[in-house]
Amino acid sequence: MKKATPPSGKYSVIEIALSGQNLRAREKAFARKLLLSCRIPEQSLAVSDYKGAFCISCYPRSAKKVLEIREKYKSLKCYPNTYQFHRRWNWGGPGCHKSKENKNQGHPFAFRVKRLKRHDWFDKWKRDYHIKSLGAKFMIVPVWERSKFRLGRRIPIFMEPGSAFGSGYHETTRLMIRLLESLAGKIGSFLDIGCGTGILSVAAAKLGAGKITGYDNDSPSALVARKNFCTNNCKNGTFFFAQLKRSKVSGHFDTVGANLLSKTLLEHRARIVARVRPGGHLLVSGIALQNFAAFKRGFSGAPLRCLKILHGHRWAAVLYQKLKGDR
């Protein structure tokens, strides 16, 4: 589950939530598309759908973005019928119908804006974050539920997500873990680009990786990654703040992981690929299924050979191998 990173200092977080009871699939999709139409990245959406109670939330950083979403919501007169929803985005044109569930607004979900204090922000994620399986080998164990964990066949990854991305709930993280598991015993040195909570680095260490380096463009995330790495008694890990386009990381790594948006992967393809040693592996995710064909055309080719593609419900991940003899 993605968690937006709040500003540093004495900050609070703005939560925007669209919620409703017993919604149909197209009504849930409509709420999602409303937020996406306001240029909210899909990776940053938090979705809860349990026993008929649906809620989709985002955490914008600016009052301007909050106002934009509020105005978009207020402008809705109805939501599209099935044909219109799949054909075009219609904000109230002819042919739309009103929902019986919400006669005032013409759509069945409620709109809520709430400012979360720092302690509310972390408490909110603690309420939603519990022990859960990850991939074929791991079990996510929040540090506050450590006493509940019983050692079994799965390897525990003890996590304190804080405000960083990489709780292990998001589909892109789970796809990356599956790719890492396929390299168990041959990961070697590992570079974690956009490390977030450090969950990939911890998993890599537990799968036999040697030296591990991770960096993130969010300074608190790098601190969280370092803390989680130590909490799991992992060794030989270095984590720091850095921008991908200005990163001073040099040398080659046996395995490189980059769970970023496809636009970022394509923009920095050469820089990312350069960090993989010849014969080494590159794992990438953050690729929405609707963008996958374009991503594959733009990212594949020499010096990379595609070894495996994983498709999730909304996201894809790819395992590449860098051709030997190419620097």
Side-chain angles (χ1 to χ4, degrees):
M1 184 183 293
K2 167 80 175 186
K3 299 190 290 302
T5 304
S8 58
K10 295 182 179 180
Y11 57 77
S12 60
V13 176
I14 301 172
E15 178 185 52
I16 293 181
L18 299 173
S19 59
Q21 290 285 337
N22 301 317
L23 301 184
R24 291 169 287 183
R26 74 165 181 261
E27 293 165 347
K28 298 174 185 178
F30 187 81
R32 179 186 294 272
K33 196 153 189 178
L34 188 155
L35 297 177
L36 295 179
S37 72
C38 296
R39 299 179 300 281
I40 299 296
E42 185 160 357
Q43 272 190 313
S44 69
L45 298 179
V47 182
S48 174
D49 194 357
Y50 183 66
K51 292 187 177 180
F54 173 81
C55 181
I56 183 169
S57 307
C58 65
Y59 303 88
R61 298 191 181 201
S62 69
K64 183 178 179 181
K65 180 60 67 175
V66 173
L67 182 61
E68 178 186 352
I69 298 172
R70 188 198 299 271
E71 292 303 312
K72 182 75 76 171
Y73 174 84
K74 290 169 64 176
S75 72
L76 296 178
K77 301 301 181 184
C78 56
Y79 60 90
N81 61 31
T82 303
Y83 174 81
Q84 290 168 322
F85 179 76
H86 288 292
R87 296 296 180 183
R88 67 183 181 277
W89 186 237
N90 191 323
W91 295 104
C96 288
H97 67 283
K98 290 189 176 181
S99 167
K100 294 180 181 178
E101 293 130 290
N102 193 327
K103 296 179 181 179
N104 294 328
Q105 291 295 334
H107 43 80
F109 42 82
F111 179 92
R112 184 185 77 242
V113 178
K114 182 179 180 181
R115 185 176 293 276
L116 303 176
K117 299 295 184 182
R118 180 186 175 98
H119 64 274
D120 294 331
W121 170 261
F122 292 110
D123 288 346
K124 176 180 175 62
W125 289 107
K126 285 189 176 183
R127 289 195 300 269
D128 298 335
Y129 194 50
H130 303 288
I131 296 174
K132 189 172 183 177
S133 60
L134 177 64
K137 299 177 181 291
F138 296 105
M139 186 73 77
I140 302 168
V141 183
V143 292
W144 56 90
E145 293 193 355
R146 195 166 189 162
S147 61
K148 298 179 182 179
F149 176 70
R150 297 294 178 266
L151 191 62
R153 295 176 59 185
R154 289 181 174 269
I155 305 168
I157 296 181
F158 300 105
M159 295 295 295
E160 170 77 72
S163 63
F165 173 64
S167 65
Y169 281 13
H170 197 275
E171 189 173 60
T172 57
T173 306
R174 302 180 81 82
L175 292 173
M176 290 287 281
I177 289 292
R178 287 172 58 189
L179 291 179
L180 265 180
E181 288 177 337
S182 70
L183 298 175
K186 50 183 178 181
I187 295 174
S189 55
F190 181 66
L191 174 63
D192 191 354
I193 301 176
C195 60
T197 61
I199 190 169
L200 295 182
S201 293
V202 172
K206 291 179 178 289
L207 290 171
K211 180 182 177 182
I212 293 175
T213 303
Y215 66 88
D216 199 283
N217 64 359
D218 176 65
S219 183
S221 292
L223 295 175
V224 169
R226 188 180 306 145
K227 179 180 178 181
N228 284 327
F229 198 78
C230 294
T231 299
N232 283 274
N233 296 316
C234 299
K235 308 296 182 183
N236 299 321
T238 303
F239 300 90
F240 53 90
F241 163 79
Q243 298 280 350
L244 176 55
K245 62 182 177 182
R246 297 189 182 92
S247 170
K248 296 182 180 179
V249 175
S250 59
H252 292 129
F253 294 81
D254 298 309
T255 305
V256 174
N259 186 9
L260 309 168
L261 291 174
S262 55
K263 179 181 177 181
T264 305
L265 291 170
L266 289 170
E267 181 180 351
H268 300 284
R269 178 186 184 277
R271 184 182 294 271
I272 294 170
V273 174
R275 300 281 67 82
V276 186
R277 71 161 178 82
H281 296 94
L282 171 64
L283 302 74
V284 295
S285 190
I287 312 153
L289 291 182
Q290 63 265 30
N291 300 329
F292 182 70
F295 169 82
K296 191 176 179 183
R297 287 194 301 270
F299 202 85
S300 299
L304 298 175
R305 180 166 65 97
C306 180
L307 298 182
K308 183 181 295 187
I309 299 173
L310 297 180
H311 293 280
H313 294 295
R314 293 182 174 274
W315 303 90
V318 188
L319 172 62
Y320 293 102
Q321 184 174 37
K322 189 172 183 180
L323 301 179
K324 293 183 178 180
D326 194 290
R327 292 174 180 261

